[in-house]
Amino acid sequence: MRRRVPGRSAVPSRRLAVAVMLAALASATASAADDDAALMSLGKTLFTVGAVPPCAICHTLKDAGSTGEVGPVLDELKPDAERVVTALKSGIGAMPSYRGSLSDEQMRALARYVSRASGGAAK
């Protein structure tokens, strides 16, 4: 039987607490990655077929397999997510506003997808 040493009895408890915290962090990171993958999937679906009209009709974006010739080539433009949301809400040039047809969550998903897929900043 081990004899308790004063001041040392908390060491195993601290190690356990650190292990539990690391496990929780790993779980949260995996959950965040799952959430990001779901957001990217939603954004791609909206880009290719979900938005009305779909972005892919007018824009070229390699990741989406789109070759539209009306709007800018997004792979070259590399817009950040904020710029995409602004364009979606307001419309720009021949592009209509999607304010009435997409929710804020859908616009954020679409913006994240476009910015990430084109190499822009996702924010």
Side-chain angles (χ1 to χ4, degrees):
M1 181 171 184
R2 287 182 82 177
R3 188 173 154 201
R4 286 188 143 171
V5 177
R8 304 265 304 181
S9 61
V11 172
S13 296
R14 285 186 193 136
R15 287 184 184 150
L16 178 60
V18 168
V20 168
M21 288 170 50
L22 289 174
L25 179 61
S27 175
T29 301
S31 178
D34 291 344
D35 290 346
D36 188 56
L39 200 62
M40 291 292 288
S41 178
L42 173 60
K44 186 172 186 174
T45 299
L46 289 166
F47 186 89
T48 56
V49 295
V52 179
C55 311
I57 290 175
C58 296
H59 293 283
T60 295
L61 183 61
K62 184 178 179 179
D63 185 80
S66 64
T67 57
E69 297 180 9
V70 177
V73 175
L74 297 172
D75 296 305
E76 293 173 4
L77 187 61
K78 299 182 187 329
D80 64 29
E82 188 175 317
R83 183 174 183 182
V84 176
V85 168
T86 299
L88 289 168
K89 286 184 177 181
S90 310
I92 187 168
M95 180 177 156
S97 168
Y98 286 84
R99 189 183 300 266
S101 61
L102 296 177
S103 69
D104 286 344
E105 179 184 352
Q106 289 172 319
M107 284 192 250
R108 283 192 303 272
L110 184 48
R112 183 170 190 85
Y113 169 70
V114 168
S115 64
R116 279 253 184 103
S118 67
K123 288 186 182 182

